[in-house]
Amino acid sequence: MRERASGILCHPTSLPGRFGIGSLGRHARALLDFLVDAGQSYWQVLPLGPTGYGDSPYQAFSAYAGNPLLIDLDELVELELLTQDDLADAPAFSSGPIDYGAVIGHRDGVLRRASARLLGGQADAALQRELEAFSGQQAAWLDDFALFMACKRRFNWASWTDWERGIALRVPDALAHWRNELADEIAHQRVLQWLFDRQWQVLRAYAHDAVLRIIGDMPIFVGHDSADVWAHRDLYYLDEAGQPIVIAGVPPDYFSPTGQRWGNPLYRWDRMAERGYAWWIDRVSHALEQVDLLRLDHFRGFCGYWEIPADEPTAVNGRWVQGPGRAVFDALADALGGLPIIAEDLGLISADVHALRDGLGLPGMRVLQFAYDSDASNDHLPHNCPANCILYTGTHDNDTTRGWYANAPAETQHRFRSYAGSDGSNPAWTMIRMAMTAVADLAIVPLQDVLNLGSEGRLNLPGRAAGNWTWRYAEGALTPGLAEALKALAVVSGRWWEEDEEPASAEPLVLEYEPPLS
């Protein structure tokens, strides 16, 4: 990481746009422009994979693929893969929360038109050559993923364990049959991945030109109904039919009295070790082709993870099982030449987790919303934060700071006001100032806090089955006044320096801009 910097957390789905969901086009570039104007150095996103039931980026169909819902349709018009007429019949999407059903229904038809033009030879031949090169370069994961998605569609989106037995268990004759039977759909799936990657790499280059770095997010586990598990069953604890024997989650905690039953199959770490952790090396290498740093979700699982029998309805009845420890990170460091990783070390953390994190020299995380429910020894209080950490006001799993304060117990509110020297009238920006002025090397603020939103801006409520991942900000919300206020804080706290700028004066900081209350 750069020494002393700050950034914004905002997933691309939360961007505005006329087609019901954020995309990788002009609104994404506008966000990056805003970050530059605001004196920020980092853009943090959530996992970028294709989502399934529940729309969660943490339960993707692949650990490698990109989400086709993020493909910018207007840019396909510029490539002459679509026409304006193709987009004229779009539904009247709301500018507010995402209606995934409507978005998926519209986008599937439009993207098929674009794919048909490309595959039918009606597009620039250079684009076809790009597609062929991408398909060859990414074949190690793309071939399995394209067939997986083609089969998902053929079998009415059923989990792979419910497909015809031959293809579910990857019998060679069945693989050959379905590759031939579904050749057109497989080709379409390759096009979608090429389009996503093409647009993402353009956006990443735009960020780098602006001297911005991107922080990605990698879940420790992968979804059971994914191309990864289907193609590599021997790396997971599954029965003969492919069903998980034990699954991942966490015990009861701050977020849920019954814990979190994630449902991900657990790794056979013994087999991964026998193969030199090649799957992990390949996975992380691929991710670092998209982002500059990786937040490794549930880092504690590498020391010990919560194992839940697959037939348990909650996460209460589980047990801790020892993880692979340092071995997987040594293999990664040897292969990659370093570890550009942020350790997500939140929750029930034991001493061995701290020892592993510190032994590897990885920055951990602190969250200011967790800081005011106990006493002065709380690890999340600014005075207890180490320099080598990332300090958040809140994460994608938290309420917005304004919502958190409104719903916090009176005692917690009192501690917050007393610590901050605040009357509690603007908790979000009070907490942003605390994060920016803290000793932590990197401060990250969810965009909802910058916009001073209440609970209506919450992105995810862990344990809630539906209604998550839908928040979007309104076009025009990223005003020059907001950028000015953020940059003033970044400058006065030493998180932003213009090349020709003198250090900030000792004069008191006065913000002419007052952040909105709603």
Side-chain angles (χ1 to χ4, degrees), residues 112-427:
R112 286 183 184 279
R113 289 178 220 167
S115 175
R117 287 197 178 97
L118 180 63
L119 296 172
Q122 301 170 43
D124 188 329
L127 297 180
Q128 180 67 47
R129 290 193 294 272
E130 279 189 37
L131 170 63
E132 291 171 358
F134 172 81
S135 298
Q137 293 163 1
Q138 306 297 328
W141 66 268
L142 183 57
D143 288 353
D144 281 328
F145 174 75
L147 176 57
F148 176 85
M149 293 304 295
C151 288
K152 288 287 289 182
R153 186 176 181 86
R154 171 63 177 78
F155 295 112
N156 198 30
W157 298 99
S159 174
W160 63 266
T161 52
D162 295 325
W163 299 348
E164 289 187 4
R165 184 171 177 81
I167 187 63
L169 300 182
R170 295 178 61 86
V171 176
D173 287 348
L175 287 171
H177 168 76
W178 288 108
R179 284 189 181 117
N180 179 67
E181 180 77 13
L182 301 175
D184 290 345
E185 183 65 23
I186 290 170
H188 171 64
Q189 293 296 329
R190 287 196 178 101
V191 170
L192 295 183
Q193 289 308 306
W194 167 68
L195 288 173
F196 172 89
D197 184 75
R198 191 179 198 275
Q199 291 190 357
W200 179 261
Q201 294 303 335
V202 168
L203 186 62
R204 186 186 183 197
Y206 189 88
H208 287 177
D209 287 344
V211 201
L212 290 166
R213 294 182 185 177
I214 302 174
I215 301 175
D217 196 328
M218 177 175 285
I220 181 175
F221 300 115
V222 297
H224 174 247
D225 191 20
S226 68
D228 312 286
V229 177
W230 173 66
H232 304 284
R233 297 194 314 276
D234 62 317
L235 294 179
Y236 305 87
Y237 285 103
L238 307 176
D239 63 20
E240 292 184 357
Q243 296 289 354
I245 299 170
V246 287
I247 56 175
V250 291
D253 62 7
Y254 172 91
F255 289 112
S256 173
T258 58
Q260 297 178 44
R261 184 187 183 277
W262 296 336
N264 308 74
L266 292 171
Y267 295 119
R268 288 289 306 265
W269 286 112
D270 55 339
R271 292 178 179 174
M272 288 191 164
E274 289 169 1
R275 300 169 197 183
Y277 300 103
W279 185 86
W280 272 96
I281 292 169
D282 192 55
R283 182 188 183 192
V284 173
S285 298
H286 178 78
L288 291 174
E289 294 173 0
Q290 297 180 324
V291 300
D292 304 300
L293 288 169
L294 276 174
R295 171 191 178 271
L296 189 49
D297 194 44
H298 200 58
F299 177 79
R300 75 136 302 122
F302 290 96
C303 288
Y305 53 88
W306 191 245
E307 178 187 273
I308 308 165
D311 57 0
E312 284 288 332
T314 72
V316 172
N317 295 319
R319 64 170 187 145
W320 289 109
V321 178
Q322 186 174 354
R326 183 171 180 134
V328 63
F329 293 99
D330 287 340
L332 285 168
D334 287 344
L336 303 176
L339 292 174
I341 289 171
I342 296 165
E344 187 275 288
D345 54 351
L346 305 175
L348 297 172
I349 302 301
S350 50
D352 58 340
V353 180
H354 292 154
L356 177 62
R357 179 200 65 203
D358 294 343
L360 295 168
L362 301 180
M365 291 176 55
R366 299 292 185 272
V367 181
L368 287 175
Q369 287 187 25
F370 297 157
Y372 307 100
D373 59 1
S374 58
D375 57 25
S377 66
N378 188 305
D379 285 343
H380 298 274
L381 285 166
H383 68 263
N384 291 325
C385 290
N388 190 30
C389 81
I390 293 83
L391 180 59
Y392 294 78
T393 56
T395 74
H396 64 276
D397 282 335
N398 292 97
D399 200 346
T400 67
T401 294
R402 186 176 157 199
W404 163 81
Y405 182 80
N407 296 302
E411 186 176 0
T412 300
Q413 292 179 337
H414 174 72
R415 285 198 188 99
F416 170 74
R417 292 193 303 269
S418 298
Y419 190 95
S422 166
D423 63 2
S425 61
N426 198 340

